[in-house]
Short mmCIF file of all heavy atoms in Angstrom, two decimals:
data_model
loop_
_atom_site.label_atom_id
_atom_site.label_comp_id
_atom_site.label_asym_id
_atom_site.label_seq_id
_atom_site.Cartn_x
_atom_site.Cartn_y
_atom_site.Cartn_z
N MET A 26 0.83 -1.20 0.00
CA MET A 26 0.00 0.00 0.00
C MET A 26 0.87 1.26 0.00
O MET A 26 0.46 2.29 -0.48
CB MET A 26 -0.90 0.02 1.24
CG MET A 26 -1.91 -1.09 1.26
SD MET A 26 -3.39 -0.63 0.36
CE MET A 26 -4.13 0.47 1.54
N LYS A 27 2.08 1.17 0.52
CA LYS A 27 2.93 2.34 0.61
C LYS A 27 3.21 2.93 -0.77
O LYS A 27 3.48 4.11 -0.90
CB LYS A 27 4.25 1.98 1.30
CG LYS A 27 4.10 1.68 2.78
CD LYS A 27 5.46 1.35 3.38
CE LYS A 27 5.33 1.03 4.86
NZ LYS A 27 6.62 0.67 5.46
N ASP A 28 3.16 2.09 -1.80
CA ASP A 28 3.53 2.55 -3.14
C ASP A 28 2.73 3.75 -3.58
O ASP A 28 3.23 4.59 -4.31
CB ASP A 28 3.39 1.41 -4.15
CG ASP A 28 2.03 0.75 -4.12
OD1 ASP A 28 1.31 0.90 -3.12
OD2 ASP A 28 1.68 0.10 -5.11
N PHE A 29 1.49 3.88 -3.16
CA PHE A 29 0.73 5.05 -3.58
C PHE A 29 0.29 5.95 -2.42
O PHE A 29 0.00 7.12 -2.62
CB PHE A 29 -0.47 4.67 -4.44
CG PHE A 29 -1.57 3.90 -3.74
CD1 PHE A 29 -2.61 4.56 -3.12
CD2 PHE A 29 -1.57 2.51 -3.73
CE1 PHE A 29 -3.63 3.87 -2.50
CE2 PHE A 29 -2.58 1.80 -3.11
CZ PHE A 29 -3.63 2.48 -2.49
N LEU A 30 0.28 5.46 -1.20
CA LEU A 30 -0.15 6.29 -0.08
C LEU A 30 0.94 7.20 0.45
O LEU A 30 0.66 8.28 0.97
CB LEU A 30 -0.67 5.41 1.06
CG LEU A 30 -1.95 4.60 0.78
CD1 LEU A 30 -2.38 3.84 2.03
CD2 LEU A 30 -3.07 5.52 0.32
N GLU A 31 2.19 6.78 0.29
CA GLU A 31 3.26 7.57 0.89
C GLU A 31 3.51 8.89 0.15
O GLU A 31 4.20 9.77 0.65
CB GLU A 31 4.56 6.75 0.95
CG GLU A 31 5.11 6.36 -0.40
CD GLU A 31 6.33 5.45 -0.27
OE1 GLU A 31 6.59 4.97 0.85
OE2 GLU A 31 7.00 5.24 -1.27
N SER A 32 2.93 9.04 -1.04
CA SER A 32 3.12 10.29 -1.79
C SER A 32 2.14 11.38 -1.36
O SER A 32 2.20 12.50 -1.86
CB SER A 32 2.95 10.03 -3.29
OG SER A 32 1.61 9.62 -3.57
N LEU A 33 1.23 11.05 -0.43
CA LEU A 33 0.19 12.00 -0.04
C LEU A 33 0.62 12.84 1.17
O LEU A 33 1.36 12.36 2.03
CB LEU A 33 -1.09 11.24 0.33
CG LEU A 33 -1.69 10.35 -0.77
CD1 LEU A 33 -2.86 9.56 -0.21
CD2 LEU A 33 -2.13 11.18 -1.97
N ASN A 34 0.14 14.09 1.22
CA ASN A 34 0.37 14.88 2.43
C ASN A 34 -0.64 14.44 3.49
O ASN A 34 -1.53 13.62 3.21
CB ASN A 34 0.30 16.38 2.15
CG ASN A 34 -1.07 16.85 1.68
OD1 ASN A 34 -2.09 16.32 2.09
ND2 ASN A 34 -1.08 17.87 0.82
N GLU A 35 -0.54 15.00 4.68
CA GLU A 35 -1.35 14.50 5.80
C GLU A 35 -2.86 14.61 5.56
O GLU A 35 -3.59 13.63 5.75
CB GLU A 35 -0.94 15.22 7.09
CG GLU A 35 -1.57 14.62 8.34
CD GLU A 35 -1.03 15.25 9.62
OE1 GLU A 35 0.14 15.70 9.61
OE2 GLU A 35 -1.79 15.29 10.61
N PRO A 36 -3.38 15.79 5.15
CA PRO A 36 -4.83 15.86 4.90
C PRO A 36 -5.28 14.96 3.75
O PRO A 36 -6.37 14.38 3.80
CB PRO A 36 -5.07 17.34 4.57
CG PRO A 36 -3.90 18.06 5.13
CD PRO A 36 -2.75 17.11 5.02
N GLN A 37 -4.45 14.85 2.70
CA GLN A 37 -4.79 13.97 1.59
C GLN A 37 -4.89 12.52 2.06
O GLN A 37 -5.82 11.79 1.69
CB GLN A 37 -3.75 14.08 0.48
CG GLN A 37 -3.78 15.38 -0.30
CD GLN A 37 -2.65 15.47 -1.31
OE1 GLN A 37 -1.60 14.85 -1.15
NE2 GLN A 37 -2.86 16.25 -2.36
N LEU A 38 -3.93 12.09 2.88
CA LEU A 38 -3.94 10.73 3.41
C LEU A 38 -5.18 10.48 4.26
O LEU A 38 -5.83 9.43 4.17
CB LEU A 38 -2.68 10.47 4.23
CG LEU A 38 -2.50 9.06 4.79
CD1 LEU A 38 -2.42 8.04 3.66
CD2 LEU A 38 -1.25 8.97 5.67
N GLU A 39 -5.54 11.47 5.07
CA GLU A 39 -6.74 11.35 5.90
C GLU A 39 -7.98 11.21 5.01
O GLU A 39 -8.89 10.42 5.30
CB GLU A 39 -6.88 12.57 6.80
CG GLU A 39 -8.02 12.47 7.81
CD GLU A 39 -8.14 13.69 8.69
OE1 GLU A 39 -7.47 14.70 8.43
OE2 GLU A 39 -8.94 13.64 9.66
N GLY A 40 -8.00 11.94 3.90
CA GLY A 40 -9.13 11.85 2.97
C GLY A 40 -9.23 10.50 2.31
O GLY A 40 -10.33 10.03 2.01
N VAL A 41 -8.11 9.84 2.10
CA VAL A 41 -8.11 8.51 1.49
C VAL A 41 -8.53 7.45 2.49
O VAL A 41 -9.31 6.54 2.17
CB VAL A 41 -6.70 8.19 0.92
CG1 VAL A 41 -6.61 6.71 0.54
CG2 VAL A 41 -6.40 9.07 -0.29
N LEU A 42 -8.05 7.54 3.70
CA LEU A 42 -8.26 6.48 4.69
C LEU A 42 -9.59 6.58 5.43
O LEU A 42 -10.05 5.60 6.02
CB LEU A 42 -7.11 6.47 5.70
CG LEU A 42 -5.71 6.22 5.12
CD1 LEU A 42 -4.66 6.24 6.24
CD2 LEU A 42 -5.66 4.91 4.36
N THR A 43 -10.23 7.75 5.42
CA THR A 43 -11.52 7.92 6.11
C THR A 43 -12.62 7.44 5.18
O THR A 43 -13.23 8.21 4.44
CB THR A 43 -11.75 9.39 6.49
OG1 THR A 43 -10.63 9.86 7.24
CG2 THR A 43 -13.01 9.56 7.31
N THR A 44 -12.87 6.15 5.20
CA THR A 44 -13.79 5.55 4.22
C THR A 44 -15.20 5.35 4.75
O THR A 44 -16.14 5.22 3.96
CB THR A 44 -13.24 4.19 3.75
OG1 THR A 44 -13.10 3.33 4.89
CG2 THR A 44 -11.91 4.36 3.06
N GLY A 57 -4.80 18.83 -5.44
CA GLY A 57 -4.64 17.40 -5.68
C GLY A 57 -5.85 16.56 -5.36
O GLY A 57 -5.73 15.40 -4.96
N THR A 59 -8.04 15.21 -7.34
CA THR A 59 -8.19 14.05 -8.22
C THR A 59 -7.35 12.88 -7.71
O THR A 59 -7.79 11.73 -7.73
CB THR A 59 -7.78 14.40 -9.66
OG1 THR A 59 -8.58 15.50 -10.12
CG2 THR A 59 -8.00 13.22 -10.59
N ARG A 60 -6.16 13.19 -7.24
CA ARG A 60 -5.30 12.15 -6.67
C ARG A 60 -5.96 11.52 -5.45
O ARG A 60 -5.96 10.29 -5.29
CB ARG A 60 -3.94 12.75 -6.28
CG ARG A 60 -3.07 11.77 -5.51
CD ARG A 60 -1.78 12.41 -5.07
NE ARG A 60 -0.90 12.66 -6.21
CZ ARG A 60 0.36 13.08 -6.08
NH1 ARG A 60 0.87 13.30 -4.88
NH2 ARG A 60 1.10 13.28 -7.14
N VAL A 61 -6.56 12.36 -4.59
CA VAL A 61 -7.21 11.84 -3.39
C VAL A 61 -8.39 10.95 -3.76
O VAL A 61 -8.57 9.85 -3.21
CB VAL A 61 -7.67 13.00 -2.48
CG1 VAL A 61 -8.46 12.46 -1.28
CG2 VAL A 61 -6.48 13.81 -2.00
N LEU A 62 -9.23 11.40 -4.70
CA LEU A 62 -10.36 10.58 -5.14
C LEU A 62 -9.90 9.25 -5.72
O LEU A 62 -10.45 8.19 -5.42
CB LEU A 62 -11.17 11.34 -6.20
CG LEU A 62 -12.31 12.24 -5.72
CD1 LEU A 62 -12.89 13.01 -6.90
CD2 LEU A 62 -13.40 11.42 -5.06
N THR A 63 -8.88 9.34 -6.57
CA THR A 63 -8.36 8.13 -7.21
C THR A 63 -7.85 7.14 -6.17
O THR A 63 -8.19 5.95 -6.20
CB THR A 63 -7.22 8.52 -8.17
OG1 THR A 63 -7.71 9.42 -9.16
CG2 THR A 63 -6.65 7.29 -8.87
N TYR A 64 -7.02 7.62 -5.26
CA TYR A 64 -6.42 6.73 -4.27
C TYR A 64 -7.46 6.24 -3.26
O TYR A 64 -7.34 5.14 -2.71
CB TYR A 64 -5.27 7.43 -3.55
CG TYR A 64 -4.04 7.61 -4.42
CD1 TYR A 64 -2.95 8.35 -3.97
CD2 TYR A 64 -3.96 7.06 -5.70
CE1 TYR A 64 -1.81 8.51 -4.75
CE2 TYR A 64 -2.85 7.22 -6.49
CZ TYR A 64 -1.77 7.95 -6.02
OH TYR A 64 -0.66 8.11 -6.80
N ARG A 65 -8.47 7.04 -3.00
CA ARG A 65 -9.53 6.62 -2.08
C ARG A 65 -10.25 5.40 -2.65
O ARG A 65 -10.51 4.42 -1.94
CB ARG A 65 -10.52 7.77 -1.86
CG ARG A 65 -11.63 7.46 -0.86
CD ARG A 65 -12.59 8.64 -0.75
NE ARG A 65 -13.71 8.31 0.12
CZ ARG A 65 -13.77 8.56 1.42
NH1 ARG A 65 -12.74 9.15 2.01
NH2 ARG A 65 -14.84 8.24 2.13
N ILE A 66 -10.56 5.45 -3.95
CA ILE A 66 -11.23 4.31 -4.60
C ILE A 66 -10.30 3.11 -4.64
O ILE A 66 -10.70 1.97 -4.36
CB ILE A 66 -11.70 4.70 -6.01
CG1 ILE A 66 -12.78 5.79 -5.92
CG2 ILE A 66 -12.23 3.49 -6.76
CD1 ILE A 66 -13.15 6.40 -7.26
N ALA A 67 -9.03 3.36 -4.99
CA ALA A 67 -8.05 2.26 -5.03
C ALA A 67 -7.91 1.63 -3.64
O ALA A 67 -7.81 0.39 -3.51
CB ALA A 67 -6.70 2.79 -5.51
N HIS A 68 -7.90 2.45 -2.61
CA HIS A 68 -7.79 1.95 -1.23
C HIS A 68 -9.00 1.08 -0.88
O HIS A 68 -8.86 0.02 -0.25
CB HIS A 68 -7.67 3.13 -0.27
CG HIS A 68 -7.67 2.76 1.18
ND1 HIS A 68 -6.76 1.89 1.74
CD2 HIS A 68 -8.52 3.11 2.20
CE1 HIS A 68 -7.01 1.74 3.02
NE2 HIS A 68 -8.08 2.47 3.33
N LEU A 69 -10.20 1.51 -1.26
CA LEU A 69 -11.40 0.72 -1.00
C LEU A 69 -11.29 -0.65 -1.67
O LEU A 69 -11.62 -1.68 -1.07
CB LEU A 69 -12.64 1.45 -1.52
CG LEU A 69 -13.13 2.64 -0.68
CD1 LEU A 69 -14.21 3.41 -1.45
CD2 LEU A 69 -13.69 2.16 0.66
N MET A 70 -10.83 -0.65 -2.93
CA MET A 70 -10.71 -1.92 -3.64
C MET A 70 -9.63 -2.80 -3.04
O MET A 70 -9.79 -4.03 -2.96
CB MET A 70 -10.44 -1.64 -5.12
CG MET A 70 -11.63 -0.98 -5.84
SD MET A 70 -11.28 -0.57 -7.57
CE MET A 70 -11.02 -2.21 -8.25
N ARG A 71 -8.53 -2.19 -2.57
CA ARG A 71 -7.47 -2.97 -1.91
C ARG A 71 -8.00 -3.59 -0.62
O ARG A 71 -7.53 -4.65 -0.19
CB ARG A 71 -6.28 -2.07 -1.62
CG ARG A 71 -5.39 -1.79 -2.84
CD ARG A 71 -4.45 -2.95 -3.12
NE ARG A 71 -3.56 -2.66 -4.22
CZ ARG A 71 -2.36 -2.09 -4.11
NH1 ARG A 71 -1.94 -1.70 -2.91
NH2 ARG A 71 -1.60 -1.90 -5.15
N LYS A 72 -8.97 -2.92 0.02
CA LYS A 72 -9.57 -3.45 1.25
C LYS A 72 -10.54 -4.59 0.97
O LYS A 72 -11.03 -5.23 1.90
CB LYS A 72 -10.33 -2.33 1.98
CG LYS A 72 -9.46 -1.36 2.74
CD LYS A 72 -10.29 -0.22 3.35
CE LYS A 72 -11.38 -0.75 4.25
NZ LYS A 72 -12.18 0.35 4.86
N ARG A 95 -6.12 5.93 -13.94
CA ARG A 95 -5.17 6.06 -12.84
C ARG A 95 -5.43 5.00 -11.77
O ARG A 95 -4.48 4.48 -11.16
CB ARG A 95 -5.27 7.46 -12.23
CG ARG A 95 -4.70 8.52 -13.15
CD ARG A 95 -5.03 9.94 -12.73
NE ARG A 95 -4.34 10.35 -11.52
CZ ARG A 95 -4.28 11.62 -11.11
NH1 ARG A 95 -4.88 12.57 -11.80
NH2 ARG A 95 -3.64 11.92 -9.99
N THR A 98 -3.88 1.69 -12.84
CA THR A 98 -2.44 1.54 -12.64
C THR A 98 -2.11 1.07 -11.23
O THR A 98 -1.04 0.52 -10.98
CB THR A 98 -1.71 2.89 -12.89
OG1 THR A 98 -2.17 3.86 -11.95
CG2 THR A 98 -1.98 3.39 -14.30
N VAL A 99 -3.05 1.27 -10.30
CA VAL A 99 -2.83 0.87 -8.91
C VAL A 99 -3.39 -0.52 -8.62
O VAL A 99 -2.72 -1.35 -8.01
CB VAL A 99 -3.46 1.91 -7.94
CG1 VAL A 99 -3.26 1.46 -6.48
CG2 VAL A 99 -2.86 3.28 -8.16
N VAL A 100 -4.63 -0.77 -9.07
CA VAL A 100 -5.29 -2.02 -8.67
C VAL A 100 -5.55 -2.97 -9.83
O VAL A 100 -6.06 -4.07 -9.63
CB VAL A 100 -6.63 -1.71 -7.96
CG1 VAL A 100 -6.39 -0.93 -6.69
CG2 VAL A 100 -7.58 -0.97 -8.87
N TYR A 312 -0.57 22.89 -5.20
CA TYR A 312 0.63 22.38 -5.87
C TYR A 312 0.81 22.98 -7.26
O TYR A 312 1.78 22.68 -7.95
CB TYR A 312 0.56 20.85 -5.99
CG TYR A 312 0.66 20.13 -4.67
CD1 TYR A 312 -0.48 19.82 -3.93
CD2 TYR A 312 1.90 19.78 -4.13
CE1 TYR A 312 -0.40 19.17 -2.71
CE2 TYR A 312 2.00 19.13 -2.91
CZ TYR A 312 0.84 18.83 -2.21
OH TYR A 312 0.95 18.19 -0.99
#
Side-chain angles (χ1 to χ4, degrees):
M26 295 274 285
K27 290 181 181 178
D28 52 341
F29 67 90
L30 294 183
E31 64 185 11
S32 64
L33 302 174
N34 64 33
E35 189 173 331
Q37 288 176 335
L38 183 61
E39 186 180 9
V41 169
L42 299 181
T43 307
T44 59
T59 303
R60 172 183 290 188
V61 175
L62 270 174
T63 301
Y64 289 174
R65 183 182 176 93
I66 295 171
H68 175 58
L69 285 170
M70 293 177 64
R71 282 280 183 90
K72 283 176 57 179
R95 289 168 70 167
T98 62
V99 178
V100 297
Y312 291 91

